[in-house]
Amino acid sequence: MTAIAHKKPPVTDDVLDYRNLKEGEFWRHVPAYKDVDEATFMDHLWQQKNSVKTPEELLETIKGVCSPEFFADVAEGFAKAPMAVRVSPYAISLIDWNDPINDPIRRQFVPVASSLLPDHPRLTLDSLHEQDDSPVPGLVHRYVDKALFLPLNVCPVYCRFCTRSYAIGPDTENVDKVSLAKTPAQWQDAFAYIAERPELEDIVISGGDTYQLPPKNIELIGNALLDIPHVRRMRFATKGPAIMPMKIITDTKWLDAITQVVDRGRKLGKDVVLHTHFNAPEEITGITQRAMRMLFERGIFVRNQSVLIRGVNDTPERMTLLVKRLGMMNVHAYYVYMHDMVKGVEELRTTIQTATDIEKFVRGSTAGFNTPTFVCDAPGGGGKRDVHSYEYYDRANGIAVYAAPSVKPGKAFLYFDPIDRLAPDAQARWAVREIQDQMIHEALRNAGVGDQALVTA
Ligand SMILES: *Cc1c(COP(=O)(O)O)cnc(C)c1O
Ligand code: SF4
């Protein structure tokens, strides 16, 4: 046989690096988990029971690893945060405690005061205005044929950047939460509304988080929606696989409940899938791979929605690594969201320009169906917009103008880049209220719309 003439040089190891997942008992480097065996660490109840919710619990867990200054920083961060804190042992064990400030998992879940930046002057708490599109508690009907059902307000972890910090988690020192419908009796109103709207074909069950629904309620919700003839598609949304993948492996009743709804849906010709939320490539370990394999074997399709977060996945290399790892687990990378304009997490946001640059790099690196669409959920209730589809983008002042003709015709929506990412002269302009108004007026004019089209965020 003659040697094959390769046209490409052999790949270097770094190209295949995404296949190297953390294996073994990696949690034992955390002082509190050094004697925890595999069976215990894999137990979802142990994970829930040992989740960290206070600075004192964190101190107890990583005693001896971090400096007293870091703890003071964390304690102050907790006090200032709009979200409650809850971090699973799995996530704690993935943090590099030798450099917690820069760690991508720490940045998402554990607030530290020294990193905080002032909010953008145009930020609000419910930046997506979900309350305005909510006909009954716990249901958001914004788009024509799909709705968002929020049956609970608890999650297995709390993300600092949560877009629903207005409702999710217990009250904090800074925020009294809006209450969602949280009991099966209260859910009946949402089911009745959906049944009365024949255009609704697609229901996203989010919250809160499907991980926290007991199996009987997964079946209750799933079957109630499957029973509505015009509902054709459902997605159960959960952060769980990213921060507590062992639940899929060890909470058999929960997985069986999801499987029951998926299987019944399939027999009815209806599409029931899982949507999850991986942000950092480090969240994907050997445990995740086993968990996702179980879902795949059961025919449960999984899509991923990430948030573009500064210091977590905001470079072409980090995002590509994440996308390749998701593909390896048969998870379709569906969306990457611009970080919503929520309070108290300005150091996690980045610019529209960064998103478009990363998108350009990621596209072409793997299968098209594994390539996420980068979207901006337009503040003020415009819904998701392809980041590139702005009517106008003032890069210097960090103002993007979007339109959403099929959601809110005739309206204009603004996304603002974080101010610390702008040049000093632009930062100075944002310090003056009248100049802010002028810059916004200019941007709207350049987008070809008048000031009256603006939905104020
Ligand atoms: C994101 C979202 C949906 C689902 O939108 P897709 O683009 O189909 O994923 C539905 N309703 C609301 C309110 C949403 O925010
Ligand atoms: S899991 Fe989702 S709903 Fe819960 S805190 Fe995180 S982003 Fe918010």
Side-chain angles (χ1 to χ4, degrees):
M1 233 177 66
T2 52
I4 298 166
H6 289 248
K7 301 230 163 164
K8 290 180 186 299
V11 289
T12 48
D13 286 348
D14 59 305
V15 177
L16 302 179
D17 206 28
Y18 69 93
R19 294 180 188 164
N20 297 325
L21 303 180
K22 214 172 239 188
E23 295 280 3
E25 301 189 331
F26 53 80
W27 54 88
R28 290 199 191 243
H29 75 102
V30 176
Y33 312 149
K34 80 175 183 328
D35 297 324
V36 172
D37 62 14
E38 179 164 8
T40 307
F41 194 74
M42 290 296 286
D43 178 359
H44 65 103
L45 293 175
W46 184 87
Q47 288 280 334
Q48 298 218 344
K49 208 168 81 207
N50 289 280
S51 289
V52 164
K53 294 178 277 312
T54 63
E56 294 72 34
E57 284 172 359
L58 184 64
L59 178 62
E60 199 50 38
T61 306
I62 55 172
K63 208 162 34 191
V65 186
C66 291
S67 65
E69 294 75 38
F70 177 74
F71 279 111
D73 205 3
V74 167
E76 200 186 332
F78 271 59
K80 289 187 169 156
M83 281 296 281
V85 174
R86 183 169 184 173
V87 200
S88 60
Y90 175 78
I92 298 240
S93 74
L94 296 176
I95 294 173
D96 177 3
W97 291 105
N98 295 314
D99 184 16
I101 293 290
N102 294 311
D103 186 89
I105 315 275
R106 195 289 301 161
R107 288 177 72 82
Q108 295 181 72
F109 304 112
V110 182
V112 297
S114 63
S115 303
L116 298 178
L117 291 173
D119 284 333
H120 194 284
R122 301 288 163 139
L123 283 188
T124 58
L125 195 56
D126 169 18
S127 93
L128 302 182
H129 287 208
E130 291 190 333
Q131 291 296 305
D132 296 349
D133 284 325
S134 179
V136 296
L139 194 77
V140 182
H141 185 187
R142 163 162 305 155
Y143 302 92
V144 178
D145 74 348
K146 55 194 177 187
L148 174 65
F149 178 41
L150 308 170
L152 75 173
N153 72 343
V154 284
C155 305
V157 291
Y158 291 122
C159 312
R160 295 181 49 218
F161 47 88
C162 183
T163 185
R164 297 203 183 94
S165 56
Y166 70 88
I168 297 300
D171 290 344
T172 61
E173 280 185 36
N174 302 301
V175 182
D176 289 330
K177 310 282 166 165
V178 170
S179 57
L180 305 173
K182 282 168 292 199
T183 64
Q186 291 170 320
W187 299 339
Q188 299 306 323
D189 288 344
F191 301 149
Y193 177 85
I194 295 167
E196 285 172 16
R197 304 295 304 207
E199 73 273 37
L200 281 177
E201 292 189 344
D202 183 347
I203 310 297
V204 181
I205 302 139
S206 185
D209 193 294
T210 303
Y211 246 41
Q212 303 308 105
L213 285 171
K216 67 172 191 309
N217 286 344
I218 288 178
E219 296 196 17
L220 186 155
I221 293 170
N223 288 324
L225 294 173
L226 286 176
D227 286 341
I228 300 173
H230 52 260
V231 172
R232 311 291 317 161
R233 295 179 288 282
M234 283 157 51
R235 336 168 191 177
F236 283 102
T238 174
K239 176 83 186 164
I243 46 75
M244 207 186 282
M246 53 282 293
K247 181 178 166 94
I248 291 170
I249 301 171
T250 59
D251 192 350
T252 312
K253 290 206 171 86
W254 185 88
L255 183 57
D256 285 349
I258 295 279
T259 310
Q260 187 274 332
V261 179
V262 171
D263 286 349
R264 180 166 176 246
R266 191 177 297 116
K267 291 197 184 83
L268 295 167
K270 299 185 179 197
D271 186 36
V272 183
V273 304
L274 214 59
H275 273 205
T276 187
H277 179 185
F278 288 94
N279 290 327
E282 292 77 12
E283 289 158 3
I284 301 172
T285 65
I287 301 173
T288 325
Q289 192 172 35
R290 274 191 280 153
M292 302 323 265
R293 181 69 186 259
M294 281 181 77
L295 297 177
F296 190 72
E297 282 172 7
R298 290 182 180 219
I300 301 171
F301 188 72
V302 187
R303 295 192 193 99
N304 187 66
Q305 306 188 175
S306 297
V307 177
L308 183 62
I309 307 173
R310 204 196 297 188
V312 173
N313 55 19
D314 66 333
T315 65
E317 294 73 22
R318 298 272 305 161
M319 187 57 78
T320 308
L321 183 60
L322 174 65
V323 164
K324 296 277 279 188
R325 280 203 175 147
L326 290 169
M328 185 166 101
M329 293 188 302
N330 299 311
V331 174
H332 278 197
Y334 174 42
Y335 279 147
V336 175
Y337 286 84
M338 287 308 293
H339 193 298
D340 285 320
M341 301 208 16
V342 290
K343 277 191 197 290
V345 283
E346 198 65 354
E347 93 274 14
L348 299 180
R349 293 203 305 128
T350 185
T351 62
I352 294 285
Q353 188 62 48
T354 305
T356 57
D357 291 346
I358 295 176
E359 197 276 348
K360 197 179 293 182
F361 190 92
V362 172
R363 189 161 298 280
S365 69
T366 190
F369 52 75
N370 277 332
T371 305
T373 304
F374 286 66
V375 293
C376 176
D377 211 339
K384 298 170 192 69
R385 305 281 85 203
D386 182 326
V387 281
H388 297 86
S389 69
Y390 41 73
E391 307 299 309
Y392 177 71
Y393 180 25
D394 173 355
R395 286 171 179 74
N397 295 315
I399 306 174
V401 185
Y402 289 95
S406 68
V407 183
K408 304 267 158 80
K411 297 290 180 198
F413 304 87
L414 302 179
Y415 185 85
F416 300 103
D417 291 339
I419 287 177
D420 73 300
R421 288 267 144 143
L422 307 176
D425 56 332
Q427 295 194 21
R429 288 193 285 277
W430 278 106
V432 186
R433 182 79 201 186
E434 296 76 56
I435 306 182
Q436 291 173 14
D437 292 340
Q438 251 170 40
M439 293 187 291
I440 291 170
H441 173 78
E442 283 283 290
L444 289 168
R445 214 190 50 194
N446 287 323
V449 294
D451 284 357
Q452 75 288 350
L454 180 63
V455 174
T456 44

